[in-house]
Amino acid sequence: MRLLPIHILSFLTFIFFACGNGDKRDISEYYFPVKELRAGKVYEYMVSQKDSVVPEYWYYHTLVRDSGLFLIGTYYDHRFQIGQIVREKITKSGALAKECHLYEEDPDPEVEGGQIHTTTVIEAPNKFPFWVIDSSGVFLFKLQFHPSDDPKATIYVVRNRRFLGDAPDFEFQDKMYPCIRFGLVEAIGNEKEGAAEVEGRGEEWYAKGLGLVYYKKTYGSGVFKMEARLTDIFSMAELEQKAAAVYGQ
C-alpha cells in the first residue's frame, strides 16, 4: 500500500491547522543552537542496529551570508567517511533544507578512498518548525535522487513529522535538559513500476539548547530497527584525532 494519500492528508492537515486560531508555541530553542555553532561542533551519536552499536558523527557549523543564516550539517559514518552534507536556511518560521548531497564509496578497487557524489532534488523542505500549535501540526519533507548505479531510476524519501509535545528530560554530561518530541512517518521507494516501497515509523527528541538528542525508527514489519542517542559534543580537531588514531596517520 503506497503512502501517497497519507502525504496528501498530512499536507492538508498542516494547512488547516496553520490557518487556525490556536495558541502557537515557540520551540525554536529546542533546535540546534545555530548562533553558537559559528566555530562548528561535532555531535556524536551511538546508533544501535540489531546486535551492533556504532558511532555516527554530525559536524554542524553556521554560516552567515547576505541571503540569510545557514546551518551546514556533515555526516560521517563510523569509518569517518562522509555520507551526507545538508545545508539548511534558518528562517523565522523554522529550518528549511536548501541542499542535500549524498556520498558513497566508489566500488572501483583502483580508486582508493574515492567517493561518488549524488545531488538530490528537495521537493518539500521542512526540517524543523519553530512554531507549533498543540500536537496537531504535520510537517512534510521530501527529496528524490537518481542512484549512481541506476541513473534512470528515481529514489524518493518522504518524511512526515508531527509534533507530540514534551518528552522526558534528557541527561547529557551530568545535566538534565527539557525535551520535545516529534513522531515520524517515513516512506522510501523507487518510482519504477512495480518497485517496492519501505515504510517506517519512529520518533525524534530535541533538547533545549542542544538540538537532536535521540531518535528511533522501525521499518517494514519491524525487521529493521535503529535507535540513536547523543553521547558527546566536541570539536572537529578531536574528530580528526579519532580518525588519525584509527588509520595511524
Side-chain angles (χ1 to χ4, degrees), residues 3-74:
L3 287 185
L4 184 58
I6 296 179
H7 302 154
I8 295 174
L9 177 61
S10 298
F11 177 74
L12 294 176
T13 301
F14 167 68
I15 294 297
F16 175 78
F17 284 103
C19 296
N21 296 318
D23 293 333
K24 291 185 177 181
R25 177 180 175 182
D26 181 358
I27 60 171
S28 59
E29 291 185 344
Y30 290 85
Y31 200 50
F32 295 99
V34 292
K35 294 182 180 179
E36 301 173 16
L37 291 172
R38 301 242 179 133
K41 288 292 183 180
V42 176
Y43 280 56
E44 178 189 69
Y45 300 88
M46 295 305 297
V47 184
S48 303
Q49 299 180 28
K50 293 186 177 181
D51 298 327
S52 68
V53 179
V54 296
E56 71 175 29
Y57 308 96
W58 279 89
Y59 173 61
Y60 290 104
H61 69 285
T62 303
L63 294 177
V64 180
R65 295 289 185 263
D66 291 340
S67 55
L69 180 65
F70 296 88
L71 179 66
I72 315 298
T74 303

Coordinates of all heavy atoms in Angstrom, one line a residue, residues 3-74:
L3 N 1.9 5.3 0.3 CA 1.6 6.4 1.3 C 1.1 7.7 0.7 O 0.9 8.6 1.4 CB 2.9 6.7 2.1 CG 3.3 5.6 3.1 CD1 4.4 6.1 3.9 CD2 2.1 5.2 4.0
L4 N 0.9 7.7 -0.6 CA 0.6 9.0 -1.3 C -0.7 9.6 -0.6 O -0.7 10.8 -0.3 CB 0.4 8.8 -2.8 CG 0.1 10.1 -3.6 CD1 1.2 11.1 -3.4 CD2 -0.1 9.8 -5.0
P5 N -1.8 8.9 -0.4 CA -2.9 9.5 0.2 C -2.6 10.1 1.6 O -3.1 11.1 2.0 CB -3.9 8.3 0.3 CG -3.5 7.4 -0.8 CD -2.0 7.5 -0.8
I6 N -1.7 9.4 2.4 CA -1.3 9.9 3.7 C -0.6 11.2 3.5 O -0.8 12.2 4.3 CB -0.4 8.9 4.4 CG1 -1.3 7.6 4.7 CG2 0.1 9.5 5.7 CD1 -0.5 6.5 5.4
H7 N 0.3 11.3 2.5 CA 1.0 12.6 2.3 C 0.1 13.7 2.0 O 0.3 14.8 2.5 CB 2.0 12.4 1.2 CG 3.0 11.3 1.3 ND1 3.6 10.6 0.3 CD2 3.4 10.7 2.5 CE1 4.4 9.7 0.8 NE2 4.3 9.7 2.1
I8 N -0.9 13.5 1.2 CA -1.8 14.5 0.8 C -2.6 14.9 2.1 O -2.8 16.1 2.3 CB -2.8 14.0 -0.3 CG1 -2.0 13.8 -1.6 CG2 -3.9 15.0 -0.5 CD1 -2.8 13.2 -2.7
L9 N -3.0 13.9 2.8 CA -3.8 14.2 4.0 C -3.0 15.0 5.0 O -3.4 15.9 5.6 CB -4.3 12.9 4.7 CG -5.0 13.0 6.0 CD1 -6.3 13.8 5.8 CD2 -5.3 11.6 6.6
S10 N -1.7 14.6 5.2 CA -0.8 15.3 6.1 C -0.6 16.8 5.7 O -0.6 17.7 6.5 CB 0.6 14.6 6.1 OG 0.5 13.3 6.6
F11 N -0.5 17.0 4.3 CA -0.3 18.3 3.8 C -1.5 19.2 4.1 O -1.4 20.3 4.6 CB 0.0 18.3 2.4 CG 0.2 19.7 1.7 CD1 1.3 20.4 2.0 CD2 -0.8 20.2 0.9 CE1 1.4 21.7 1.4 CE2 -0.7 21.5 0.4 CZ 0.4 22.2 0.6
L12 N -2.7 18.6 3.9 CA -3.9 19.3 4.1 C -4.1 19.6 5.6 O -4.6 20.7 6.0 CB -5.1 18.5 3.6 CG -5.2 18.4 2.0 CD1 -6.3 17.5 1.6 CD2 -5.3 19.7 1.3
T13 N -3.7 18.6 6.4 CA -3.8 18.8 7.9 C -2.9 20.0 8.3 O -3.3 20.8 9.1 CB -3.4 17.5 8.6 OG1 -4.2 16.5 8.2 CG2 -3.5 17.7 10.1
F14 N -1.7 20.0 7.7 CA -0.8 21.1 8.1 C -1.4 22.5 7.7 O -1.4 23.4 8.5 CB 0.5 20.9 7.4 CG 1.4 22.2 7.4 CD1 2.0 22.6 8.6 CD2 1.7 22.9 6.3 CE1 2.8 23.7 8.7 CE2 2.5 24.0 6.3 CZ 3.0 24.4 7.5
I15 N -2.0 22.6 6.5 CA -2.6 23.8 6.0 C -3.7 24.2 6.9 O -3.9 25.4 7.3 CB -3.0 23.7 4.6 CG1 -1.8 23.5 3.7 CG2 -3.8 24.9 4.1 CD1 -0.9 24.7 3.6
F16 N -4.5 23.2 7.3 CA -5.7 23.5 8.1 C -5.3 24.1 9.5 O -5.8 25.1 9.9 CB -6.5 22.2 8.3 CG -7.7 22.4 9.2 CD1 -8.9 23.0 8.8 CD2 -7.6 22.0 10.6 CE1 -9.9 23.1 9.7 CE2 -8.7 22.1 11.4 CZ -9.8 22.7 11.0
F17 N -4.4 23.4 10.1 CA -4.0 23.9 11.5 C -3.2 25.1 11.4 O -3.2 25.9 12.4 CB -3.3 22.8 12.2 CG -4.2 21.7 12.7 CD1 -4.3 20.5 12.1 CD2 -5.0 22.0 13.8 CE1 -5.2 19.5 12.6 CE2 -5.9 21.0 14.3 CZ -6.0 19.8 13.7
A18 N -2.4 25.3 10.3 CA -1.6 26.5 10.2 C -2.5 27.8 10.1 O -2.1 28.9 10.5 CB -0.6 26.5 9.0
C19 N -3.7 27.6 9.6 CA -4.6 28.7 9.4 C -5.5 28.8 10.6 O -6.4 29.7 10.6 CB -5.4 28.5 8.1 SG -4.4 28.5 6.7
G20 N -5.4 28.0 11.6 CA -6.3 28.0 12.7 C -6.0 29.2 13.7 O -5.0 29.9 13.5
N21 N -6.8 29.3 14.7 CA -6.6 30.4 15.7 C -6.0 29.9 17.0 O -6.1 30.6 18.0 CB -8.0 31.1 15.9 CG -8.5 31.7 14.6 OD1 -7.7 32.3 13.9 ND2 -9.8 31.6 14.4
G22 N -5.5 28.7 17.0 CA -5.0 28.2 18.3 C -3.7 28.9 18.7 O -3.1 29.6 17.9
D23 N -3.4 28.8 20.0 CA -2.2 29.4 20.5 C -1.0 28.7 20.0 O -0.9 27.5 20.0 CB -2.2 29.3 22.0 CG -3.3 30.2 22.6 OD1 -3.7 31.2 22.0 OD2 -3.8 29.9 23.8
K24 N 0.0 29.5 19.5 CA 1.2 28.9 18.9 C 2.3 28.8 20.0 O 2.4 29.7 20.9 CB 1.8 29.8 17.8 CG 0.9 29.7 16.5 CD 1.5 30.5 15.4 CE 0.7 30.4 14.1 NZ 1.3 31.1 13.0
R25 N 3.1 27.8 20.0 CA 4.2 27.6 20.9 C 5.5 27.7 20.2 O 5.7 27.1 19.1 CB 4.1 26.2 21.5 CG 5.2 25.9 22.5 CD 5.1 24.5 23.1 NE 6.3 24.1 23.9 CZ 6.4 23.0 24.5 NH1 5.5 22.0 24.4 NH2 7.5 22.7 25.2
D26 N 6.4 28.5 20.8 CA 7.7 28.8 20.2 C 8.6 27.7 20.7 O 8.9 27.6 21.9 CB 8.2 30.1 20.6 CG 9.6 30.5 20.1 OD1 10.2 29.6 19.3 OD2 10.1 31.6 20.3
I27 N 9.1 26.8 19.8 CA 10.1 25.7 20.1 C 11.4 25.9 19.5 O 12.2 24.9 19.4 CB 9.5 24.4 19.8 CG1 9.2 24.3 18.2 CG2 8.2 24.1 20.5 CD1 8.9 22.9 17.8
S28 N 11.7 27.1 19.1 CA 13.0 27.4 18.4 C 14.2 27.0 19.2 O 15.3 26.6 18.7 CB 13.1 28.8 17.9 OG 13.0 29.7 19.0
E29 N 14.1 27.2 20.6 CA 15.3 26.9 21.4 C 15.6 25.4 21.6 O 16.6 25.1 22.1 CB 15.0 27.5 22.8 CG 15.0 29.0 22.8 CD 14.9 29.6 24.3 OE1 14.5 28.8 25.2 OE2 15.1 30.8 24.4
Y30 N 14.7 24.6 21.0 CA 15.0 23.2 21.1 C 15.7 22.7 19.8 O 16.2 21.5 19.8 CB 13.7 22.4 21.2 CG 13.0 22.6 22.5 CD1 12.2 23.7 22.8 CD2 13.2 21.7 23.6 CE1 11.6 23.8 24.0 CE2 12.6 21.8 24.8 CZ 11.8 22.9 25.0 OH 11.2 23.1 26.3
Y31 N 15.9 23.5 18.8 CA 16.7 23.1 17.7 C 18.2 23.4 18.0 O 18.5 23.9 19.1 CB 16.2 23.9 16.5 CG 16.6 23.3 15.2 CD1 16.4 21.9 14.9 CD2 17.3 24.0 14.2 CE1 16.7 21.3 13.8 CE2 17.7 23.4 13.0 CZ 17.4 22.0 12.8 OH 17.8 21.4 11.6
F32 N 19.0 23.0 17.0 CA 20.5 23.2 17.3 C 20.7 24.7 17.5 O 20.2 25.6 16.9 CB 21.2 22.8 16.0 CG 21.1 21.3 15.8 CD1 20.2 20.8 14.8 CD2 21.9 20.4 16.5 CE1 20.1 19.4 14.6 CE2 21.8 19.0 16.3 CZ 20.9 18.5 15.4
P33 N 21.7 25.0 18.5 CA 22.0 26.4 18.8 C 22.8 27.0 17.7 O 24.0 27.2 17.9 CB 22.7 26.2 20.1 CG 23.4 24.9 20.0 CD 22.4 24.0 19.3
V34 N 22.1 27.5 16.7 CA 22.8 27.9 15.5 C 23.8 29.1 15.8 O 24.9 29.2 15.2 CB 21.8 28.3 14.4 CG1 21.2 27.0 13.9 CG2 20.8 29.3 14.9
K35 N 23.4 30.0 16.7 CA 24.2 31.2 17.0 C 25.5 30.8 17.7 O 26.5 31.5 17.7 CB 23.5 32.2 17.8 CG 22.3 32.8 17.1 CD 21.6 33.8 17.9 CE 20.4 34.4 17.2 NZ 19.7 35.4 18.0
E36 N 25.6 29.6 18.3 CA 26.7 29.1 19.0 C 27.6 28.2 18.2 O 28.6 27.6 18.6 CB 26.3 28.4 20.3 CG 25.5 29.3 21.2 CD 25.0 28.5 22.4 OE1 25.5 27.4 22.7 OE2 24.1 29.0 23.1
L37 N 27.2 28.0 16.9 CA 27.9 27.0 16.1 C 28.7 27.6 15.0 O 29.0 27.0 14.0 CB 26.9 26.0 15.5 CG 26.2 25.0 16.5 CD1 25.1 24.3 15.8 CD2 27.2 24.1 17.1
R38 N 29.1 28.9 15.1 CA 29.9 29.5 14.1 C 31.3 28.8 14.0 O 31.8 28.7 12.9 CB 30.1 31.0 14.4 CG 28.8 31.8 14.6 CD 28.7 32.9 13.6 NE 27.4 33.6 13.7 CZ 27.3 34.9 13.6 NH1 28.4 35.6 13.6 NH2 26.1 35.5 13.7
A39 N 31.8 28.4 15.1 CA 33.1 27.7 15.0 C 33.0 26.2 14.7 O 33.9 25.6 14.4 CB 33.9 27.9 16.4
G40 N 31.7 25.7 14.8 CA 31.5 24.3 14.5 C 31.7 23.4 15.6 O 32.6 23.6 16.5
K41 N 30.8 22.4 15.7 CA 30.9 21.3 16.7 C 30.5 20.0 16.1 O 29.6 19.9 15.2 CB 29.9 21.6 17.9 CG 30.4 22.8 18.8 CD 31.7 22.4 19.6 CE 32.1 23.5 20.5 NZ 33.3 23.2 21.3
V42 N 31.1 18.9 16.6 CA 30.7 17.6 16.2 C 29.8 16.9 17.2 O 30.1 16.9 18.4 CB 32.0 16.7 16.0 CG1 31.6 15.3 15.7 CG2 32.9 17.3 15.0
Y43 N 28.6 16.4 16.8 CA 27.7 15.7 17.6 C 27.9 14.2 17.4 O 27.8 13.7 16.3 CB 26.3 16.0 17.3 CG 25.8 17.4 17.8 CD1 26.4 18.6 17.6 CD2 24.6 17.4 18.6 CE1 26.0 19.7 18.1 CE2 24.1 18.6 19.1 CZ 24.8 19.8 18.9 OH 24.4 20.9 19.4
E44 N 28.3 13.5 18.5 CA 28.5 12.0 18.4 C 27.3 11.3 18.9 O 26.8 11.6 20.0 CB 29.7 11.6 19.2 CG 30.0 10.1 19.2 CD 31.0 9.7 20.2 OE1 30.8 9.9 21.4 OE2 32.1 9.3 19.8
Y45 N 26.7 10.4 18.0 CA 25.6 9.6 18.4 C 26.0 8.1 18.4 O 26.7 7.7 17.5 CB 24.4 9.8 17.4 CG 23.9 11.2 17.3 CD1 24.4 12.1 16.4 CD2 22.8 11.6 18.1 CE1 23.9 13.4 16.4 CE2 22.3 12.9 18.0 CZ 22.8 13.8 17.2 OH 22.3 15.1 17.1
M46 N 25.5 7.4 19.4 CA 25.7 5.9 19.3 C 24.4 5.3 18.8 O 23.4 5.5 19.3 CB 26.0 5.4 20.7 CG 27.3 5.9 21.3 SD 28.8 5.6 20.3 CE 28.8 3.8 20.2
V47 N 24.6 4.5 17.7 CA 23.5 4.0 16.9 C 23.4 2.5 17.1 O 24.4 1.8 16.8 CB 23.6 4.3 15.4 CG1 22.4 3.8 14.7 CG2 23.8 5.8 15.2
S48 N 22.3 2.0 17.6 CA 22.1 0.6 17.8 C 21.3 0.0 16.6 O 20.2 0.5 16.3 CB 21.3 0.3 19.1 OG 22.0 0.9 20.2
Q49 N 21.8 -1.1 16.0 CA 21.1 -1.8 14.9 C 21.3 -3.3 15.1 O 22.4 -3.7 15.1 CB 21.6 -1.3 13.6 CG 21.4 0.1 13.2 CD 21.9 0.5 11.8 OE1 22.0 -0.4 10.9 NE2 22.4 1.7 11.7
K50 N 20.2 -4.0 15.4 CA 20.3 -5.4 15.7 C 21.3 -5.6 16.9 O 21.1 -5.1 18.0 CB 20.6 -6.2 14.5 CG 19.5 -6.2 13.4 CD 19.9 -7.1 12.2 CE 18.7 -7.1 11.3 NZ 19.0 -8.0 10.1
D51 N 22.4 -6.3 16.6 CA 23.3 -6.7 17.6 C 24.6 -5.7 17.6 O 25.5 -6.0 18.3 CB 23.8 -8.1 17.5 CG 22.7 -9.1 17.6 OD1 21.8 -8.8 18.4 OD2 22.7 -10.2 17.0
S52 N 24.5 -4.7 16.8 CA 25.7 -3.8 16.7 C 25.4 -2.4 17.2 O 24.3 -2.0 17.2 CB 26.1 -3.7 15.2 OG 25.2 -3.0 14.5
V53 N 26.4 -1.8 17.8 CA 26.4 -0.4 18.3 C 27.6 0.3 17.7 O 28.7 -0.1 18.0 CB 26.4 -0.4 19.8 CG1 26.3 1.1 20.2 CG2 25.2 -1.1 20.4
V54 N 27.3 1.3 16.8 CA 28.4 2.0 16.2 C 28.2 3.5 16.3 O 27.0 3.9 16.4 CB 28.6 1.6 14.7 CG1 29.0 0.2 14.6 CG2 27.4 1.9 13.9
P55 N 29.2 4.3 16.3 CA 29.0 5.8 16.4 C 28.8 6.3 15.0 O 29.2 5.8 14.0 CB 30.4 6.3 16.9 CG 31.4 5.3 16.4 CD 30.7 3.9 16.4
E56 N 28.0 7.5 15.0 CA 27.9 8.3 13.8 C 28.2 9.7 14.3 O 27.9 10.1 15.4 CB 26.6 8.2 13.1 CG 25.4 8.8 13.8 CD 24.1 8.7 13.0 OE1 24.0 7.8 12.2 OE2 23.3 9.6 13.2
Y57 N 28.7 10.5 13.4 CA 29.1 11.9 13.7 C 28.5 12.9 12.8 O 28.4 12.7 11.6 CB 30.6 12.0 13.6 CG 31.4 11.0 14.4 CD1 31.9 9.8 13.8 CD2 31.6 11.1 15.8 CE1 32.6 8.9 14.5 CE2 32.4 10.2 16.5 CZ 32.8 9.1 15.8 OH 33.5 8.1 16.5
W58 N 28.0 14.0 13.3 CA 27.5 15.1 12.5 C 28.2 16.4 12.9 O 28.2 16.8 14.1 CB 26.0 15.3 12.8 CG 25.1 14.3 12.0 CD1 24.7 13.1 12.4 CD2 24.6 14.6 10.7 NE1 23.9 12.5 11.4 CE2 23.8 13.4 10.4 CE3 24.6 15.6 9.8 CZ2 23.1 13.3 9.2 CZ3 23.9 15.5 8.6 CH2 23.2 14.3 8.3
Y59 N 28.9 16.9 11.9 CA 29.6 18.2 12.2 C 28.7 19.3 11.7 O 28.3 19.5 10.6 CB 30.9 18.2 11.4 CG 31.6 19.6 11.4 CD1 32.0 20.1 12.6 CD2 31.8 20.3 10.2 CE1 32.7 21.3 12.7 CE2 32.5 21.5 10.3 CZ 32.9 22.0 11.5 OH 33.6 23.2 11.5
Y60 N 28.3 20.2 12.7 CA 27.4 21.3 12.4 C 28.1 22.6 12.5 O 28.9 22.8 13.5 CB 26.2 21.3 13.4 CG 25.2 20.2 13.2 CD1 25.2 19.1 14.1 CD2 24.3 20.2 12.2 CE1 24.3 18.1 13.9 CE2 23.4 19.2 12.0 CZ 23.4 18.1 12.8 OH 22.5 17.1 12.7
H61 N 28.0 23.5 11.6 CA 28.5 24.8 11.7 C 27.6 25.8 10.9 O 26.9 25.4 10.0 CB 30.0 24.9 11.1 CG 30.1 24.7 9.6 ND1 30.0 23.5 9.0 CD2 30.3 25.6 8.7 CE1 30.1 23.6 7.7 NE2 30.3 24.9 7.5
T62 N 27.6 27.0 11.4 CA 26.8 28.1 10.9 C 27.5 29.0 10.0 O 28.6 29.4 10.2 CB 26.2 28.9 12.1 OG1 25.5 28.0 13.0 CG2 25.2 29.9 11.7
L63 N 26.8 29.4 8.9 CA 27.3 30.4 8.0 C 26.4 31.6 7.9 O 25.1 31.4 7.8 CB 27.5 29.8 6.6 CG 28.6 28.7 6.5 CD1 28.6 28.2 5.0 CD2 30.0 29.2 6.8
V64 N 26.9 32.8 7.9 CA 26.1 34.0 7.8 C 26.4 34.6 6.4 O 27.6 34.9 6.1 CB 26.4 35.0 8.8 CG1 25.6 36.3 8.6 CG2 26.2 34.4 10.2
R65 N 25.4 34.7 5.6 CA 25.5 35.2 4.2 C 24.5 36.4 4.0 O 23.6 36.6 4.8 CB 25.2 34.1 3.2 CG 26.3 33.0 3.2 CD 27.6 33.5 2.7 NE 28.6 32.4 2.6 CZ 29.5 32.2 3.5 NH1 29.5 32.9 4.6 NH2 30.4 31.2 3.3
D66 N 24.7 37.1 2.9 CA 23.8 38.2 2.6 C 22.3 37.7 2.5 O 21.4 38.4 2.8 CB 24.2 38.9 1.4 CG 25.5 39.7 1.5 OD1 25.8 40.0 2.7 OD2 26.1 40.0 0.5
S67 N 22.2 36.4 2.1 CA 20.9 35.8 1.8 C 20.3 35.2 3.1 O 19.2 34.7 3.1 CB 21.0 34.8 0.7 OG 22.0 33.8 1.0
G68 N 21.1 35.3 4.2 CA 20.5 34.8 5.4 C 21.5 33.9 6.3 O 22.7 33.9 6.0
L69 N 20.9 33.2 7.3 CA 21.6 32.4 8.2 C 21.5 30.9 7.8 O 20.3 30.5 7.6 CB 21.1 32.6 9.6 CG 21.8 31.8 10.7 CD1 23.3 32.2 10.9 CD2 21.0 32.1 12.1
F70 N 22.6 30.2 7.7 CA 22.5 28.8 7.2 C 23.2 27.9 8.2 O 24.3 28.3 8.8 CB 23.2 28.7 5.9 CG 22.5 29.4 4.8 CD1 22.8 30.7 4.5 CD2 21.5 28.8 4.0 CE1 22.1 31.5 3.5 CE2 20.8 29.5 3.0 CZ 21.1 30.8 2.8
L71 N 22.7 26.7 8.4 CA 23.3 25.6 9.2 C 23.7 24.5 8.2 O 22.9 24.0 7.5 CB 22.3 25.1 10.2 CG 22.8 24.0 11.1 CD1 23.9 24.5 12.0 CD2 21.6 23.4 12.0
I72 N 25.0 24.2 8.3 CA 25.5 23.1 7.5 C 25.8 21.9 8.3 O 26.5 22.0 9.3 CB 26.8 23.5 6.8 CG1 26.7 24.9 6.2 CG2 27.2 22.5 5.7 CD1 25.7 25.1 5.1
G73 N 25.2 20.7 7.9 CA 25.4 19.5 8.7 C 26.1 18.5 7.8 O 25.7 18.2 6.7
T74 N 27.3 18.0 8.2 CA 28.0 17.0 7.5 C 28.1 15.7 8.3 O 28.5 15.7 9.5 CB 29.5 17.4 7.2 OG1 29.5 18.7 6.5 CG2 30.2 16.4 6.4

